[in-house]
């Protein structure tokens, strides 16, 4: 049985407004059109429905990432290609998810959506950078809270230098190479 029949988790990590969700949705459309079973675990939706009550301390962020990783592995182990566009700022949290997948024998791919903070702050999809600059919030990942970029992701996408479709095509090529698509 191929990885595509088993499903997989594709974890897209990057700064707020890096383009993770946009890329995940574009890839999901393509994979669905090819007949794959696909779910997108959006970080904002997870925060509302699965991790309500968690804050943004390091411990709470770690708990949030592990919860998402658990659900992603569960879906992937049942044949779903699970796209996970979440910030997941800490390397040890992402490594815990990777180990969970490895122990279960489930394919896990890490993709770094490597958009510079200067570009993210201009995009500012949710107005977070403006609110942080105005002193209304603190703990914004990549600004006044750390983001530990993956050292060796399966793929690094510089979304600020290519279109969404080009980024999705690069990611699709990786999935094809790894037998996931």
């Amino acid at each position: 049985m191929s990885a595509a029949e088993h499903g997989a988790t594709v974890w897209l990590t990057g700064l707020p407004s890096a383009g993770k969700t946009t890329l995940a949705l574009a890839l999901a459309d393509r994979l669905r059109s090819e007949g794959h079973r696909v779910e997108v675990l959006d970080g904002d939706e997870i925060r509302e429905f699965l991790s309500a009550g968690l804050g943004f301390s390091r411990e709470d962020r770690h708990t949030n990432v592990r919860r998402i990783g658990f659900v992603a592995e569960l879906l992937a182990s049942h044949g779903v290609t699970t796209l996970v566009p979440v910030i997941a700022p800490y390397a040890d949290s992402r490594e815990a998810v990777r180990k969970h997948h490895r122990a279960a024998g489930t394919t896990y791919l890490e993709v770094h959506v490597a958009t510079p903070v200067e570009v993210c702050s201009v995009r500012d999809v949710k107005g977070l950078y403006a609110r942080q600059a105005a002193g209304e919030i603190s703990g914004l990942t990549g600004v006044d809270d750390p983001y530990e970029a993956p050292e060796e992701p399966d793929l690094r996408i510089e979304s600020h230098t290519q279109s969404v479709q080009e980024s999705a095509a690069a990611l699709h090529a990786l999935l094809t190479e790894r037998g996931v698509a």
Side-chain angles (χ1 to χ4, degrees):
M1 197 175 277
S2 71
E5 294 167 321
H6 283 294
T9 294
V10 181
W11 196 281
L12 296 101
T13 179
L15 296 172
S17 298
K20 303 175 298 296
T21 300
T22 301
L23 174 56
L25 294 174
L27 181 63
D29 285 346
R30 181 169 177 181
L31 291 171
R32 287 183 183 120
S33 75
E34 296 172 351
H36 295 278
R37 296 173 58 205
V38 179
E39 287 294 336
V40 177
L41 299 181
D42 178 72
D44 292 334
E45 292 177 357
I46 294 293
R47 277 269 180 196
E48 182 177 352
F49 297 108
L50 187 64
S51 293
L54 290 179
F56 292 90
S57 68
R58 184 179 179 101
E59 182 178 337
D60 282 356
R61 288 176 191 236
H62 182 71
T63 298
N64 185 46
V65 167
R66 290 191 61 160
R67 287 179 182 175
I68 297 168
F70 174 80
V71 173
E73 193 285 321
L74 190 63
L75 288 167
S77 70
H78 287 84
V80 177
T81 301
T82 309
L83 308 177
V84 186
V86 299
I87 297 168
Y90 302 115
D92 61 342
S93 298
R94 296 190 304 267
E95 183 58 24
V97 172
R98 179 185 298 274
K99 285 180 179 175
H100 178 72
H101 279 70
R102 187 178 303 131
T106 304
T107 301
Y108 173 89
L109 300 172
E110 185 175 78
V111 178
H112 180 204
V113 182
T115 308
V117 69
E118 297 80 15
V119 174
C120 295
S121 67
V122 170
R123 291 178 180 170
D124 204 12
V125 176
K126 300 172 193 164
L128 296 174
Y129 292 93
R131 292 179 56 205
Q132 190 279 334
E136 296 173 12
I137 62 170
S138 62
L140 182 60
T141 301
V143 178
D144 61 352
D145 208 57
Y147 176 74
E148 300 168 358
E151 292 182 13
E152 296 182 28
D154 294 285
L155 180 65
R156 190 177 317 276
I157 292 179
E158 297 183 357
S159 72
H160 59 293
T161 64
Q162 57 190 15
S163 71
V164 172
Q165 293 311 316
E166 289 170 332
S167 296
L171 184 49
H172 189 275
L174 173 69
L175 300 183
T176 300
E177 174 189 309
R178 302 287 175 91
V180 175

